[in-house]
Amino acid sequence: MVITLISIAVLFVSAVSYFRGEEVSEANARLSLYTRSVNETLQRFQHLPYVLARDALVVSVAGQDKRPDILNIRLRQYADEASLEAIYLMDGQGLVLSASNFAQKQSFIGKNYGFRPYFLSSSEGNRGEFFGVGATTGRPGYFVSETVTSYDGDFLGVIAIKLDMSELQAAWEAAAERVFVSNADGVVVLSSNKDWLYKLLKPLNEQQLDEIKKGRQFGDQNLELLDWQQDTQNEATFQNDRFIYVSNPSDRLGWTVHYLLDEKRIYERATLTTAIFGVAIICLVLFSTFLRSRRIGTALQISQNDREQLRVANAELEMAQTELEKTSKLAALGQLSASVTHELGQPISALRNYLTAAEISGDIANEQTRLKLFRVTERMENITKQLRFFIRSNDDGFQQVDLRKVASVAIELLEHKVDAAKVMLTTQLGDAPALVMGNQLRLEQVIVNLVSNSIGAIEDEEGGQIDISIEASGKYVILKVKDNGVGFGDRSLEILTEPFHTTKASGEGMGLGLSIASEIIREHNGKITAETPAEGGSCFSIFLPAINP
């Protein structure tokens, strides 16, 4: 297998090298086409300024011998026929005397282009060539100019043509290839992507910037560096992607045509070739190991089945262990409850009888002492009542009960505690019966315990409020007890329902209320949830199976 992988790797490297050469050749072929199109575009009208400079009417207007009206019309006809953006005649200082666009809003007539490099070149007797953004129209173009002289050879002015390059630009954009042209300064003047126009391939020096500014070559364009780098002769990084790169000089203006071809094609073709060859090898290897793989697969499947059975058994064991721990706790609690209830029941009853007798006989003179003793006795009786829950039988009969009635009775039992705690209690029990199967007294105990907990959570707060609601939702009847108290903090429902878990001060509660409520709801085949609302506080929800009336 190692030898197979090495062979495939060597094949892949060889394929990459081969296809790279193929891609470079293809890129050079495409570059030749783009270079030819640039050269043909620039070369097409090189003769025209030379011919126009020797036209008798042009010479006469340049020498101020005739008015330019007739020449304007003639130049417009020439421009329309040749598909040129403009043809115009300038005097010796660069002032436009006649132009093909004389009737247009952005006419050149009256404008002075003596600052343009092409005018300066022709004013010295040479042909001028220039690419730049139009000073009047704001549109880029290629300018060619010729010197206009009198029949005696005296300098009279300059005639120039402007070729609109937008057609070539649009054709390149439509081709969806990566090609661009830079001038001698490294400024992108043509591109298949208009976002690259007037970007720099390299930083400009002060002299270059000064010449561009004097000739107003690129108007107010912000010449920024293009995100590219030529790595090798045929490789470049362009906007963080790798490309095959080739370039060719143009015949005019010192321009260079650049062409980029996505390098991904090399790896795609190499990968495909390697895959075809690799698949053939791998198929042979796989065939030879097929039987062995089947045996290994069978053994692995058996192992997985055994592991899954072990996982299920462990999960069941953990559940059983958890249930056993809980049952053990409840059993221990039941034994403790029976012992404590038995040992304390009679002494507490005797204590209450003694206190009653003392009260009747007037042996207790201090009223505060009497009240404190009665409260302590009542507290001890309440504790033993809670403990009796864990030793009583769970075989009390269930019958059809209306949860609304259960809630109403529980609320009546708690009225004195609600009033004493100065808590606002609101109810929304609904109009329709909320029927469930259960033991009314034990369900009342649940509601009493939950509401008592809520009272304890808000009794020290101003504006305390408890909301009790009942609603039917599908196969459940849902009772909610919501308060705006201190909430649960980071404690889960499992912790809250642990016996003897309490947040109250010592002597104020045993922490059995939620444990009792949870056990009762479990006996009724229901469930209890606890959540902290967005506005704070706590909300207990009891879900009991509904009975359709």
Side-chain angles (χ1 to χ4, degrees), residues 379 502-510:
R379 177 61 186 157
T502 179
T503 59
K504 296 180 181 180
S506 177
E508 295 185 10
M510 294 186 63

Side-chain angles (χ1 to χ4, degrees), residues 19 22 66 81 88 157 255 381 387 400 461 474 488:
F19 288 119
E22 291 286 309
K66 287 187 178 182
E81 186 66 25
Y88 50 103
W255 284 6
E381 287 180 336
L387 291 174
Q400 182 173 289
E461 305 288 335
F488 310 126

Side-chain angles (χ1 to χ4, degrees), residues 381-399:
E381 287 180 336
N382 286 336
I383 291 174
T384 56
K385 287 180 181 178
Q386 287 187 338
L387 291 174
R388 287 194 188 101
F389 170 82
F390 294 98
I391 60 175
R392 67 183 295 176
S393 173
N394 293 333
D395 58 359
D396 296 339
F398 281 13
Q399 60 184 357

Side-chain angles (χ1 to χ4, degrees), residues 72 76 99-109:
N72 286 339
R76 183 173 66 183
S100 61
N101 60 4
F102 68 93
Q104 298 177 11
K105 184 177 180 180
Q106 293 180 322
S107 173
F108 292 174
I109 295 178

